[in-house]
Amino acid sequence: MVKAYTQEHVYKHPWEIVTSASWRKFTEPENKRILSHILEVDTLNSNLDPQTGKLHTTRAITVNAPGPWFIRKIIGQNICHCVESTVVDGQSRSMQLTSRNVSLRKYIEVEEKIRYDPHPENPNGWTVCQQETSIKIKPLTALASMAEKIEQRCAEKFLQNSVKGREVMEKICKYLESANSSTSSSTSGISV
């Protein structure tokens, strides 16, 4: 059984601000309290393709293992390791992230895809975020009847974490915009 959901959110901030916030979402120390399920984020690789101008980045993300506490107790692991692959195309103003768990795969498979693009109605002021997540619990023989309930619980937790992530993104976007406006207003009064 696979539990899948999609979400769409419109950030009323320009694409450049939203994508900058995306990079900072997990790394800002004050966000760790809100995004407490994220334990560690490390950049493994980052390269700019000179042919296409696209930035390709791979990050390792360590999170608290999804699911109810008793499942973590049964499988004997409290953390889950994930890999996030990101492609940023500055020319077309598109950022695509794909995250998958690389540990606990004999119990659970999670794939999350997020895409940030300029909003078609206001491409210079707003950004649309599309998120697709699929969760597949691989039933343990003794717990086969509980697999669907566990998938539902995991999906609910992922949805809650998505809301927290959007809150952090909004906060960072507002900070970046205020920093940009204060920089431009302080330089606008300079006479040459």
Side-chain angles (χ1 to χ4, degrees):
M1 177 120 225
V2 176
K3 185 74 177 172
Y5 66 90
T6 59
Q7 298 183 90
E8 184 172 293
H9 180 75
V10 175
Y11 290 99
K12 296 195 175 178
H13 307 282
W15 179 84
E16 293 77 8
I17 294 288
V18 173
T19 54
S20 293
S22 177
W23 288 115
R24 298 169 91 167
K25 179 167 70 171
F26 300 137
T27 58
E28 302 273 324
E30 64 270 13
N31 297 336
K32 294 199 185 268
R33 181 182 50 80
I34 299 168
L35 301 174
S36 59
H37 63 290
I38 305 290
L39 302 175
E40 192 171 336
V41 178
D42 296 301
T43 300
L44 303 176
N45 183 337
S46 188
N47 106 24
L48 183 61
D49 184 327
Q51 305 277 317
T52 64
K54 294 179 181 179
L55 175 66
H56 298 265
T57 301
T58 305
R59 299 194 298 183
I61 302 175
T62 303
V63 300
N64 287 314
W69 66 270
F70 63 89
I71 296 297
R72 292 193 297 270
K73 194 79 161 164
I74 291 169
I75 62 176
Q77 214 168 340
N78 286 328
I79 61 171
C80 182
H81 300 284
C82 304
V83 172
E84 175 193 80
S85 301
T86 304
V87 178
V88 180
D89 185 344
Q91 288 247 282
S92 68
R93 297 173 72 208
S94 174
M95 180 179 195
Q96 299 176 48
L97 303 89
T98 302
S99 303
R100 292 182 182 91
N101 64 304
V102 292
S103 66
L104 304 178
R105 289 189 66 79
K106 66 182 180 180
Y107 304 108
I108 184 172
E109 290 180 6
V110 177
E111 181 180 75
E112 179 182 50
K113 294 180 179 183
I114 300 175
R115 183 178 174 112
Y116 298 103
D117 293 297
H119 193 284
E121 293 175 21
N122 187 356
N124 294 319
W126 297 351
T127 304
V128 64
C129 170
Q130 296 171 322
Q131 177 185 11
E132 299 174 21
T133 304
S134 67
I135 303 163
K136 179 180 180 183
I137 299 291
K138 296 182 176 179
L140 306 169
T141 319
L143 302 172
S145 65
M146 294 178 59
E148 191 172 334
K149 291 176 185 163
I150 295 169
E151 285 174 344
Q152 181 62 38
R153 174 86 167 98
C154 288
E156 289 167 2
K157 194 69 173 165
F158 273 86
L159 285 167
Q160 290 168 1
N161 289 338
S162 294
V163 169
K164 291 177 186 177
R166 285 193 299 274
E167 288 172 9
V168 167
M169 291 281 291
E170 285 288 349
K171 184 177 84 173
I172 296 170
C173 287
K174 288 175 184 170
Y175 168 78
L176 291 171
E177 285 181 333
S178 71
N180 281 348
S181 66
S182 66
T183 303
S184 62
S185 67
S186 66
T187 58
S188 63
I190 299 174
S191 59
V192 179

